[in-house]
Amino acid sequence: KVAACKGILGGVRAAIANYYAYSATATGGGTLKYPALSDLTKVGVVMTDTLGDNPFDKDATKNNVVAGATKGVVVGGSGGWAYRAATGQFWANTNTAGIAENGF
């Protein structure tokens, strides 16, 4: 589960960084910006496929993404992923005792 969570985080974070770099090009709009939360969850905008499931999530919707304010802080009832569009930070929105995957 740890390896799966870190792998998904790495892939999404890389896609966010690519989006950010592309946004500065003429074809990307010419202004540096991180993707909006709605863009992050649309197939083909930031990611070429759907987001992977958070392996530590215990609710019925494993790959939901919620808006977060502080990296590493679990938002709401927890589950899925959290994203802060102002900074491009993306983290697990769960916190399992002894693992603390929201800090990866």
Side-chain angles (χ1 to χ4, degrees), residues 12-48:
V12 174
R13 289 172 177 162
I16 291 168
N18 286 340
Y19 181 99
Y20 184 77
Y22 177 74
S23 70
T25 68
T27 54
T31 304
L32 282 172
K33 66 177 182 172
Y34 290 106
L37 177 63
S38 59
D39 291 336
L40 186 63
T41 57
K42 289 180 193 168
V43 173
V45 177
V46 178
M47 304 282 290
T48 57

Side-chain angles (χ1 to χ4, degrees), residues 1-101:
K1 285 183 173 184
V2 169
C5 186
K6 286 182 176 182
I8 292 167
L9 286 168
V12 174
R13 289 172 177 162
I16 291 168
N18 286 340
Y19 181 99
Y20 184 77
Y22 177 74
S23 70
T25 68
T27 54
T31 304
L32 282 172
K33 66 177 182 172
Y34 290 106
L37 177 63
S38 59
D39 291 336
L40 186 63
T41 57
K42 289 180 193 168
V43 173
V45 177
V46 178
M47 304 282 290
T48 57
D49 205 349
T50 59
L51 292 171
D53 293 344
N54 177 340
F56 294 102
D57 192 355
K58 294 182 177 144
D59 68 14
T61 311
K62 295 184 182 284
N63 64 351
N64 59 317
V65 181
V66 297
T70 304
K71 183 182 180 296
V73 175
V74 175
V75 179
S78 83
W81 307 103
Y83 175 63
R84 184 171 184 209
T87 60
Q89 294 172 314
F90 185 81
W91 64 95
N93 195 41
T94 52
N95 188 13
T96 307
I99 297 174
E101 67 277 3

